[in-house]
Each structure stands twice: as structure tokens, then as C-alpha cells.
């Protein structure tokens, strides 16, 4: 049993997604991905275990593929703060992997695109100003709640970031937004990395370089069992 137990930590994002699919989606494919990009989450993969063995896993492509900037022909374009082209309570599961980098696209270093500068922001999408990220996260949490059926599952990938020398706890903010609209925080998986891109523009380190990200599992429960542990109500009561 110990060799097969699903753990909350991994160095492989496909292992985490596959385990979430088994634990919280009855082994079924995810219905939708609103940040599909090139579909790197999906396909056939070999996961190496700590005991030296390997596991072959398959994560099927979702039925609905959406993205603000579609990278494949079968991905449907959505607006940054628009509605998903889905009916209320129409799907069982959804995957979300929003950007977490804060960087102005008009900055001289972004326009010049010098080697070793803004590596992460140019490789992935970014927000600016910081409030745009907060607004976007809250918007999509509300929207995925709308389209999910009761007992539906969200896989929400995010990680902490730094903006203006301030540590931004994106996972914590995501959880607060999720609880506010009615989600239950069902689980939290941590993806560790053995290496990370290092920005060339950082001259003096003020915070730890983050080598982990989160795959948070939200559930849309309609149950008195979970109403007793609504943390937003508890915080409002005691703080």
C-alpha cells in the first residue's frame, strides 16, 4: 500500500494531474481546460518513482479547450474577463493554470528583449499592474463556479510571485476567493522543481526563489457537512 499511496508532493506535474484525476474525478478525463495553451498537460507519460520503478500514465485531452491566446486550431478563444461559452452547471471538472508573473509589456527591457532579462515574462504570459492579476483570478474562480455542476472539481495551478519587492501569496489569495464564492478547498498538491529560470535583472536577492507551485483542488459541494467549516465565515466571526 505504501508504494501506491498518492502523496501531496511530486517533481512531476503529470503525476499530480493524474493522481487528482483518480482521487477526485473518478478516473475520468477532465471536461475542460480554460488555459489550454499547447496542451502540455495531456498525453501519454512515463512517471519515474522513488523506488526506481516507472509508471505509464495517460491524461486524455479535455472535451472543451479554451484560451485567451489560442495556440492550437481546436482551441476556442475567450476574452480575458469574458464568460466561458458553457451553460450554468454543465460540466463536472475543469483545469485552470493562469499566469502568475507581474510585468508591464511596455517596459523598455521587455521591448528590447535583451538576453537574460525578463526570461519568465517573455516565455509565459504576465499581468500588469498587480491588480489585474487579482481581478483575473477572482473573475475566473467565479466563472468556473458558475459552469460546474454540484460536486464538480477544479484543478487550480498557481504559485507565489514577487512584485515590486513584495511577496505575493497567490495560492492563499486563490483559496480565499474560492471559499468566498462557495468552493471547498479539498486538497493541495505541491509540485517541486529541481531547477528554475533565474532572472538576470535581479542584483540583490530579497526573497527566496520559489522552487514549488501548487495544484489546488476546489470542490463545489452542496453539503451541510462542509458548511460547518466555511473559513470565510470563521474569519469574519473572530477577526
Amino acid at each position: 500500500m505504501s508504494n501506491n499511496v498518492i502523496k501531496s508532493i511530486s517533481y512531476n506535474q503529470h503525476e499530480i494531474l493524474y493522481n487528482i484525476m483518480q482521487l477526485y474525478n473518478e478516473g475520468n478525463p477532465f471536461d475542460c481546460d480554460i488555459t489550454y495553451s499547447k496542451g502540455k498537460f495531456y498525453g501519454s507519460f512515463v512517471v519515474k518513482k522513488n523506488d526506481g520503478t516507472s509508471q505509464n500514465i495517460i491524461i486524455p485531452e479535455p472535451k472543451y479547450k479554451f484560451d485567451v491566446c489560442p495556440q492550437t486550431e481546436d482551441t476556442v478563444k475567450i476574452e480575458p474577463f469574458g464568460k466561458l461559452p458553457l451553460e450554468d452547471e454543465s460540466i463536472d471538472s475543469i483545469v485552470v493554470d493562469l499566469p502568475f508573473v507581474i510585468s508591464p509589456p511596455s517596459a523598455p527591457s521587455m521591448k528590447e528583449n535583451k538576453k537574460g532579462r525578463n526570461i519568465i515574462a517573455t516565455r509565459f504570459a504576465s499581468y500588469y499592474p498587480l491588480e489585474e492579476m487579482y481581478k483575473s483570478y477572482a473573475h475566473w474562480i467565479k466563472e468556473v463556479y458558475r459552469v460546474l455542476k454540484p460536486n464538480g472539481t477544479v484543478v487550480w495551478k498557481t504559485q507565489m510571485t514577487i512584485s515590486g519587492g513584495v511577496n505575493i501569496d497567490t495560492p492563499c489569495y486563490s483559496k480565499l476567493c474560492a471559499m468566498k464564492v462557495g468552493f471547498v478547498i479539498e486538497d493541495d498538491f505541491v509540485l517541486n522543481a529541481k531547477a528554475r529560470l533565474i532572472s538576470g535583472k535581479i542584483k540583490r536577492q530579497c526573497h527566496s526563489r520559489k522552487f514549488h507551485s501548487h495544484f489546488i483542488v476546489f470542490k463545489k459541494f452542496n453539503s451541510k457537512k462542509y458548511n460547518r467549516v466555511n473559513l470565510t465565515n470563521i474569519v469574519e466571526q473572530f477577526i
Side-chain angles (χ1 to χ4, degrees), residues 70-94:
Q71 302 293 310
T72 68
E73 292 184 357
D74 59 346
T75 301
V76 176
K77 179 177 174 57
I78 55 175
E79 296 303 316
F81 296 98
K83 293 187 67 174
L84 294 171
L86 297 170
E87 298 295 326
D88 294 358
E89 298 189 347
S90 59
I91 60 174
D92 291 303
S93 56
I94 193 164

Side-chain angles (χ1 to χ4, degrees), residues 109-179:
S109 58
M110 290 288 287
K111 290 183 177 180
E112 295 168 5
N113 196 25
K114 290 183 178 180
K115 185 177 180 180
R117 304 192 69 179
N118 291 307
I119 298 172
I120 301 171
T122 53
R123 179 174 171 180
F124 306 102
S126 62
Y127 290 110
Y128 191 82
L130 173 62
E131 287 73 18
E132 286 295 294
M133 185 194 74
Y134 289 139
K135 180 182 176 182
S136 177
Y137 276 47
H139 169 79
W140 290 117
I141 284 174
K142 288 188 293 183
E143 186 61 7
V144 298
Y145 188 88
R146 177 185 71 82
V147 301
L148 275 181
K149 296 177 182 178
N151 296 320
T153 301
V154 180
V155 182
W156 185 274
K157 184 185 178 186
T158 189
Q159 76 171 66
M160 290 184 183
T161 190
I162 306 294
S163 178
V166 177
N167 188 65
I168 308 299
D169 195 339
T170 317
C172 181
Y173 174 73
S174 301
K175 291 177 180 179
L176 290 173
C177 289
M179 287 186 288

Side-chain angles (χ1 to χ4, degrees), residues 6-7 14-24 189:
I6 292 177
K7 301 176 182 178
H14 301 115
E15 179 181 33
I16 290 178
L17 267 178
Y18 180 79
N19 286 340
I20 294 173
M21 192 170 73
Q22 305 309 311
L23 269 179
Y24 297 108
F189 293 78

